[in-house]
């Protein structure tokens, strides 16, 4: 009888297991490991997001260290933007110190929390240290104070996030090593597991290696550092708004250069997650907001939607671009096709979100690898640009992006550490910044000075010409006295006029053809994609002029990183990234 009951119940049980397995992609991720360590605290406390943090005093995770290797520090002042947990206490390391975390095998988020606040008995700005995680070097001679001072916009605290894979029969060990005559510190440590093969999928999912003809296989043996995670076109998303991995998503506006495009938002839109893009890939708020180029196709074909990110030079980077087309006007393939440029290289020639995802409201992400080579500075700019591709004659001249994640990959020797930022320079005294009226007066004075110099030069040339002509005329009269003085004097002004016209400085012919870097004789030949050009000269110029005006207001770091970029022309900058 029991056999018949078992056979009777087997099909429903099988169906239940099948339904559960096939609907897992609709659920947020549930971490198998979640450790929150409030360093320097003696008791368990909750952070504002409701999560409970363990105090690390007498912690089992630090049992292998001698008592004299560390001490406790408590910040004397709390900035209004700083949460008490986990930032107001810290553990100071006077010598090598190791935290040991027994976790399950698999990739882990390792988040380090820093609040470099000094007190009367400790100058935190003198802290320099290195940090390793198992076989990877995460930080080298690192200064949290310099990092805070160089962050734009200014912050008082920050988090560094890494992805480390723990293997079978292995523990996760974080080892702090103070630099000579210095000390190390940490305010909080967070360890969260993630799905296997979430970012690194090996040969099962080879990635586009931008700028090359080869594919790139990313394995879990590679350690990553999260450099940027952005909700493009949307607002900040805190850890509790993520999909179970407690990631933080920031706005993208401060990284835009030039035209900001449009940020359409459709409240209540349904995001249809799939097995290819499960619900834990990114929050609904990421896929339901976007940044597009705008509603003016004639303007869109004349500029690139561009973001710029300062990154450490000499590393490979993984860029994950999140897409989801939620506008009801775009439902079919080939209605919107665009190019993706990464660091002046074509990463995708014909990106079609509907084709990639399978339909409207269905999210998808694409991964790309790019190398940022060593340069004259330790920081280099990483560019991401989108531009409509009209070769296939799509319905709309537009491009979109919903979310972006950028990760740094370790080098072959296991290093992820970059250099400390340069110390910030204090602004000059107020008296060195003239008022608007002073600048106008100075400008007028400069103009008058230039006019005086030019006028004086022309006068000198005129006088020299008269003198030279006088001696020449005198010699001519000696040779041919039959010539009348009246005839000679009648040729004086035309000769002087010709002499003045030839010698005086004139506008270069090239300036007559160029306006703000725009070649007016060749303005129809700036694009490698001729069919995306508009043929109306007036409209094309006004669109470029608009972009040029908006480009002037870009961040200072962009201008400093490539000071001759503007001199190469607005059109070559906004349409053909390789021209930079």
């Amino acid at each position: 009888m029991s056999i018949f009951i078992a056979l009777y119940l087997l099909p429903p049980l099988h169906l239940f297991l099948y339904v559960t397995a096939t609907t897992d992609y609709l659920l947020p991720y549930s971490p198998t490991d979640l450790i929150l360590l409030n360093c320097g605290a003696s008791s368990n406390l909750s952070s504002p997001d409701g999560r409970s943090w363990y105090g690390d005093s007498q912690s089992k995770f630090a049992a292998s260290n001698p008592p004299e290797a560390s001490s406790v520090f408590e910040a004397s002042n709390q900035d209004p933007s700083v949460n008490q947990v986990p930032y107001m206490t810290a553990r100071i390391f006077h010598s090598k110190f190791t935290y040991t975390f027994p976790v399950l095998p698999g990739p882990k988020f390792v988040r380090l929390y820093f609040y470099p606040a000094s007190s009367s008995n400790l100058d935190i700005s003198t802290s320099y240290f290195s940090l390793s995680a198992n076989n990877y070097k995460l930080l080298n001679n690192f200064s949290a104070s310099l990092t805070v001072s160089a962050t734009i916009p200014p912050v008082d605290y920050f988090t560094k996030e890494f992805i480390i894979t723990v293997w079978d029969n292995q523990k996760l060990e974080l080892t702090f090593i103070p630099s000579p005559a210095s000390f190390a510190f940490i305010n909080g440590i967070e360890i969260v597991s993630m799905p296997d093969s979430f970012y690194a999928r090996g040969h099962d999912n080879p990635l586009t290696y931008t700028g090359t003809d080869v594919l790139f296989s990313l394995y879990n043996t590679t350690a990553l550092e999260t450099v940027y995670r952005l909700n493009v076109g949307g607002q900040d998303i805190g850890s509790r708004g993520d999909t179970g991995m407690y990631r933080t998503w920031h706005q993208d506006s401060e990284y835009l250069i030039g035209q900001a495009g449009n940020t359409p938002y459709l409240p209540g839109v349904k995001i249809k997650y799939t097995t290819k893009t499960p619900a834990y890939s990114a929050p609904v708020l990421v896929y339901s907001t976007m940044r597009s180029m705008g509603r003016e196709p004639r303007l869109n074909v004349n500029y690139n939607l561009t973001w710029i990110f300062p990154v450490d030079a000499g590393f490979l980077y993984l860029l994950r671009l999140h897409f989801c087309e939620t506008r009801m006007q775009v439902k079919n393939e080939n209605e919107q096709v665009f190019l993706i440029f990464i660091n002046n290289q074509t990463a995708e020639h014909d990106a079609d979100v509907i084709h990639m995802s399978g339909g409207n409201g269905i999210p998808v992400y694409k991964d790309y690898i790019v190398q940022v080579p060593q340069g004259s500075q330790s920081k280099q700019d990483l560019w991401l640009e989108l531009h409509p591709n009209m070769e296939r004659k799509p319905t709309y001249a537009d491009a979109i992006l919903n979310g972006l994640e950028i990760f740094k990959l370790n080098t072959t020797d296991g290093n992820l550490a970059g250099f400390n930022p340069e110390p910030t320079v204090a602004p000059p005294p107020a008296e060195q910044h003239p008022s608007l009226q002073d600048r106008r007066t100075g400008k007028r004075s400069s103009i008058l000075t230039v006019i005086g110099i030019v006028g004086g030069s022309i006068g000198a040339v005129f006088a020299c010409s008269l003198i030279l002509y006088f001696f020449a005329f005198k010699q001519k009269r000696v040779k041919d006295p039959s010539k009348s003085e009246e005839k000679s004097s009648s040729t004086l002004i035309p000769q002087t006029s010709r002499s003045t016209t030839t010698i005086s400085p004139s506008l270069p012919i090239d300036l007559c053809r160029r306006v703000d870097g725009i070649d007016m004789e060749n303005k129809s030949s700036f694009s490698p994609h001729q069919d995306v050009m508009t043929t109306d000269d007036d409209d094309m110029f006004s669109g470029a002029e608009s972009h040029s005006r908006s480009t002037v207001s870009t961040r200072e770091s962009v201008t400093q990183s490539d000071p001759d970029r503007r001199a190469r022309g607005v059109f070559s900058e906004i349409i053909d990234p390789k021209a930079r």
Side-chain angles (χ1 to χ4, degrees):
M1 185 65 179
S2 58
I3 297 177
F4 288 105
I5 295 176
L7 292 175
Y8 176 77
L9 294 177
L10 185 59
L13 178 61
H14 179 269
L15 178 62
F16 171 77
L17 294 176
Y18 173 78
V19 171
T20 302
T22 55
T23 57
D24 281 348
Y25 67 89
L26 299 175
L27 303 175
Y29 176 71
S30 180
T32 56
D33 288 300
L34 177 58
I35 298 174
L36 302 172
L37 197 62
N38 189 14
C39 300
S42 57
S43 61
N44 298 345
L45 297 171
S46 295
S47 55
D49 61 5
R51 297 189 294 167
S52 180
W53 293 68
Y54 298 103
D56 78 334
S57 295
Q58 309 298 323
S59 171
K60 63 179 180 180
F61 304 126
S64 61
N65 302 278
E68 64 274 11
S70 70
S71 59
V72 172
F73 169 79
E74 186 171 350
S76 56
N77 296 316
Q78 182 177 359
D79 187 271
S81 64
V82 178
N83 296 323
Q84 179 181 0
V85 179
Y87 291 109
M88 291 305 294
T89 59
R91 183 158 294 278
I92 307 298
F93 309 114
H94 310 289
S95 60
K96 183 178 178 180
F97 191 98
T98 299
Y99 286 103
T100 302
F101 301 97
V103 293
L104 296 174
K108 315 292 176 186
F109 282 113
V110 177
R111 300 186 180 112
L112 309 174
Y113 294 79
F114 295 99
Y115 177 39
S118 297
S119 68
S120 57
N121 58 355
L122 181 66
D123 184 3
I124 209 77
S125 66
T126 61
S127 170
Y128 289 85
F129 60 93
S130 299
L131 171 65
S132 63
N134 291 359
N135 298 322
Y136 303 98
K137 177 173 284 189
L138 307 185
L139 303 173
N140 184 42
N141 198 37
F142 175 72
S143 170
S145 295
L146 289 178
T147 301
V148 162
S149 65
T151 302
I152 300 175
V155 297
D156 293 294
Y157 62 96
F158 64 94
T159 304
K160 293 188 75 70
E161 179 182 280
F162 301 90
I163 298 176
I164 307 293
T165 297
V166 179
W167 303 99
D168 293 336
N169 301 318
Q170 187 182 39
K171 297 178 180 180
L172 177 60
E173 295 186 341
L174 299 181
T175 301
F176 293 82
I177 304 177
S179 297
S182 188
F183 61 93
F185 82 98
I186 185 70
N187 295 89
I189 299 174
E190 177 181 359
I191 298 173
V192 184
S193 61
M194 70 178 71
D196 291 334
S197 303
F198 184 41
Y199 290 107
R201 300 184 180 181
H203 62 273
D204 293 335
N205 183 42
L207 310 178
T208 299
Y209 192 169
T210 306
T212 72
D213 295 326
V214 301
L215 295 177
F216 188 96
S217 294
L218 181 61
Y219 296 92
N220 275 337
T221 52
T222 302
L224 309 176
E225 178 183 355
T226 306
V227 187
Y228 298 97
R229 180 176 289 117
L230 305 179
N231 179 22
V232 177
Q235 301 298 312
D236 291 343
I237 302 175
S239 58
R240 292 304 294 263
D242 192 44
T243 55
M245 289 172 275
Y246 302 100
R247 297 168 295 178
T248 300
W249 303 73
H250 298 285
Q251 301 180 45
D252 70 315
S253 54
E254 71 176 274
Y255 307 103
L256 283 166
I257 175 175
Q259 298 282 358
N262 191 26
T263 54
Y265 172 60
L266 301 177
V269 64
K270 181 175 177 56
I271 303 301
K272 309 166 190 172
Y273 289 105
T274 65
T275 54
K276 182 180 178 182
T277 309
Y280 54 72
S281 302
V284 169
L285 285 177
V286 170
Y287 288 125
S288 59
T289 58
M290 71 172 70
R291 190 175 297 278
S292 71
M293 300 190 70
R295 300 181 179 180
E296 299 296 333
R298 299 182 69 82
L299 178 62
N300 294 352
V301 297
N302 283 316
Y303 87 96
N304 288 1
L305 190 56
T306 305
W307 297 263
I308 298 181
F309 306 97
V311 297
D312 291 327
F315 291 89
L316 290 172
Y317 287 84
L318 165 67
L319 281 77
R320 172 165 290 186
L321 279 64
H322 295 265
F323 302 101
C324 186
E325 182 56 78
T326 56
R327 297 169 298 178
M328 298 311 297
Q329 299 93 329
V330 184
K331 293 183 176 181
N332 302 310
E333 294 185 11
N334 203 45
E335 289 187 337
Q336 176 183 262
V337 183
F338 53 93
L339 297 108
I340 301 175
F341 300 112
I342 300 177
N343 252 22
N344 305 340
Q345 303 288 339
T346 303
E348 200 80 52
H349 186 265
D350 51 0
D352 186 332
V353 175
I354 298 298
H355 174 74
M356 290 189 294
S357 65
N360 186 280
I362 300 176
V364 66
Y365 57 80
K366 291 280 289 184
D367 292 344
Y368 304 92
I369 298 292
V370 65
Q371 184 176 27
V372 177
Q374 291 282 4
S376 58
Q377 298 180 346
S378 60
K379 290 283 187 181
Q380 299 290 329
D381 284 339
L382 174 59
W383 291 63
L384 172 63
E385 302 166 88
L386 308 180
H387 183 78
N389 185 352
M390 307 307 291
E391 291 181 355
R392 293 168 55 182
K393 303 186 184 305
T395 307
Y396 304 102
D398 201 357
I400 67 167
L401 183 63
N402 300 75
L404 175 66
E405 297 176 270
I406 301 179
F407 303 91
K408 179 169 64 175
L409 279 61
N410 71 263
T411 57
T412 54
D413 60 352
N415 180 54
L416 269 173
F419 292 99
N420 282 319
E422 295 294 330
T424 55
V425 179
E431 57 269 21
Q432 296 185 17
H433 297 278
S435 64
L436 180 60
Q437 183 63 35
D438 293 337
R439 289 197 296 269
R440 288 173 176 171
T441 304
K443 185 175 181 180
R444 285 198 299 269
S445 177
S446 300
I447 292 174
L448 292 175
T449 303
V450 172
I451 292 175
I453 294 173
V454 173
S457 301
I458 295 175
V461 170
F462 183 80
C464 291
S465 301
L466 284 175
I467 294 172
L468 291 173
Y469 182 77
F470 173 76
F471 283 108
F473 173 70
K474 194 171 184 180
Q475 292 178 358
K476 188 173 183 180
R477 289 188 62 186
V478 173
K479 290 181 180 180
D480 189 4
S482 62
K483 300 295 183 180
S484 66
E485 184 177 354
E486 179 183 0
K487 186 174 181 180
S488 297
S489 62
S490 69
T491 60
L492 179 63
I493 294 176
Q495 286 231 16
T496 305
S497 176
R498 286 196 299 272
S499 175
T500 304
T501 304
T502 303
I503 298 174
S504 64
S506 61
L507 285 174
I509 297 175
D510 184 57
L511 286 181
C512 299
R513 295 187 290 107
R514 303 182 69 86
V515 179
D516 192 24
I518 301 174
D519 192 338
M520 299 305 295
E521 290 185 357
N522 301 296
K523 64 182 178 179
S524 63
S525 61
F526 67 88
S527 173
H529 312 290
Q530 294 296 331
D531 51 353
V532 305
M533 284 299 302
T534 175
T535 58
D536 190 307
D537 290 344
D538 292 336
D539 287 348
M540 179 174 65
F541 181 79
S542 65
E545 185 181 33
S546 173
H547 179 80
S548 177
R549 287 196 299 268
S550 61
T551 303
V552 172
S553 64
T554 57
R555 294 185 298 119
E556 182 179 358
S557 61
V558 176
T559 306
Q560 292 175 343
S561 65
D562 192 355
D564 63 341
R565 182 172 292 126
R566 301 189 194 282
R568 292 197 288 270
V570 175
F571 281 160
S572 65
E573 176 182 327
I574 63 177
I575 297 299
D576 185 7
K578 294 183 180 179
R580 283 193 292 271

